[in-house]
Amino acid sequence: MKLLNPRNRYSLGGAGFDTTYFQLLDEGKAPFLYVELDFKEVTSKKAAVIENSSQLRDKILGANSSISVEEGQVLSDHYKLLPVDLRDIPKLRDVVSFAGMDPSLPTFIIAECVLIYLDPDSSRAIVNWASKTFSTAVFFLYEQIHPDDAFGHQMIINLESRGCALLSIDASPTLLAKERLFLENGWQRAVAWDMLKVYGSFVDTQEKRRVAHDAGKSIIIHLINLVFHPFYVMGKEHYCVTYAVNDAMGIFGDFGFTRGSRESMNISSAMSP
Ligand SMILES: C[S@@+](CC[C@H](N)C(=O)[O-])C[C@H]1O[C@@H](n2cnc3c(N)ncnc32)[C@H](O)[C@@H]1O
């Protein structure tokens, strides 16, 4: 899970080995503070990767910076990687404070395939804590839905066989249930779309044409696409994006999904001070 604002961005677990911060830096779009959280065994490995890569290390290290593989910590002025078990809310509170975040500032929270792996009470507690803590924030959740059809069953079996049980999927199995998860835990508004709808609304027509054109160059690729298209569609229907908004400062306006309008989800402009 991750949280962000122009001065703060958190990745509450699920930081995994995601390198978004470094990409944002390269693009000149990094927020003032970006915080990533995960279990210590993951943050230690990630700290080691950063320490051993001059390409990554040189981007973040300055006078006030340090990397400790043993502690699973990377501390720099604008980027923090910290270990925590997200289910431990008092610890989560401590970590947010240790990271130097100001929760009254606009914050963007991202949880990509994280809450769904926690038990439902813990997922709800985190969503509730985030709502109480960040009064001007967007919480962005990306995870699985629809466990009850054939594709959903197979998806669950595949993930379980890799030791990744989706403990929360039955507690919020639909788009409506994802929205309810936020609305019943303090968020002012929440909208959930499946990835098929997101793709249909936000991916450039030009990009779609390019993919179709490339596929058209090879009859074999074209045939493969035809055969697998239903699975591709079903896959997209089983993942969704939910965003929830708290807007105490009144800065977000009608920020959110609008079919066909790519700019409407421009997070950086919505979060600009
Ligand atoms: C499926 S990975 C997602 C990684 C990343 N968000 C991405 O999309 O590439 C789930 C991550 O959540 C972390 N995680 C799961 N439960 C957690 C918990 N209770 N506290 C902290 N991190 C947790 C795991 O260690 C793992 O890195």
Side-chain angles (χ1 to χ4, degrees):
M1 181 165 114
K2 315 178 184 189
L3 325 178
L4 161 156
N5 90 2
R7 292 183 59 80
N8 304 320
R9 168 172 171 142
Y10 301 149
S11 168
L12 297 188
F17 293 91
D18 178 316
T19 54
T20 306
Y21 177 69
F22 298 93
Q23 289 171 25
L24 289 173
L25 265 184
D26 284 347
E27 291 167 15
K29 293 179 184 164
F32 180 80
L33 181 58
Y34 186 111
V35 181
E36 296 197 286
L37 307 175
D38 207 304
F39 284 130
K40 190 173 171 190
E41 59 194 38
V42 175
T43 59
S44 288
K45 285 187 188 143
K46 190 163 185 173
V49 169
I50 294 172
E51 187 173 52
N52 293 322
S53 159
S54 59
Q55 228 187 335
L56 299 179
R57 197 182 57 227
D58 296 349
K59 284 191 200 318
I60 54 167
L61 287 190
N64 306 316
S65 314
S66 64
I67 299 179
S68 165
V69 173
E70 203 175 302
E71 302 284 323
Q73 264 183 207
V74 175
L75 300 174
S76 71
D77 287 340
H78 303 291
Y79 173 79
K80 325 258 185 210
L81 172 67
L82 295 165
V84 72
D85 182 336
L86 294 169
R87 295 167 295 186
D88 187 342
I89 300 286
K91 278 260 168 58
L92 193 51
R93 231 174 257 136
D94 290 348
V95 164
V96 163
S97 152
F98 177 77
M101 285 196 67
D102 179 348
S104 70
L105 292 173
T107 300
F108 186 34
I109 306 162
I110 304 175
E112 282 172 282
C113 294
V114 182
L115 298 193
I116 197 95
Y117 293 107
L118 310 183
D119 62 277
D121 285 346
S122 297
S123 298
R124 275 191 289 269
I126 292 166
V127 170
N128 193 285
W129 163 82
S131 172
K132 287 196 177 116
T133 306
F134 302 99
S135 54
T136 302
V138 175
F139 193 129
F140 177 93
L141 181 80
Y142 173 73
E143 60 188 28
Q144 297 88 341
I145 43 170
H146 297 322
D148 295 323
D149 59 19
F151 189 98
H153 275 296
Q154 196 55 48
M155 173 176 77
I156 287 170
I157 290 168
N158 289 348
L159 286 165
E160 267 176 9
S161 71
R162 285 188 258 148
C164 307
L166 300 178
L167 299 182
S168 266
I169 196 160
D170 290 325
S172 55
T174 61
L175 295 173
L176 206 60
K178 298 282 184 210
E179 291 173 359
R180 242 188 270 128
L181 169 67
F182 287 93
L183 296 174
E184 288 173 359
N185 284 287
W187 290 83
Q188 289 170 0
R189 61 188 172 95
V191 176
W193 279 18
D194 68 36
M195 290 310 291
L196 196 61
K197 192 166 171 183
V198 171
Y199 179 82
S201 302
F202 293 105
V203 175
D204 265 339
T205 313
Q206 216 180 345
E207 175 65 6
K208 284 182 197 152
R209 265 200 219 111
R210 187 190 63 75
V211 173
H213 177 259
D214 286 353
K217 281 183 190 160
S218 155
I219 186 69
I220 293 179
I221 291 177
H222 188 62
L223 286 174
I224 289 173
N225 280 344
L226 276 180
V227 171
F228 286 104
H229 186 69
F231 298 104
Y232 167 83
V233 168
M234 280 187 270
K236 285 203 166 0
E237 282 169 344
H238 284 76
Y239 279 80
C240 73
V241 169
T242 310
Y243 64 85
V245 178
N246 271 348
D247 197 7
M249 287 184 187
I251 60 168
F252 292 128
D254 59 358
F255 162 82
F257 288 147
T258 307
R259 187 179 275 277
S261 169
R262 304 184 77 235
E263 287 69 30
S264 64
M265 272 305 272
N266 187 335
I267 301 291
S268 9
S269 64
M271 303 295 274
S272 292

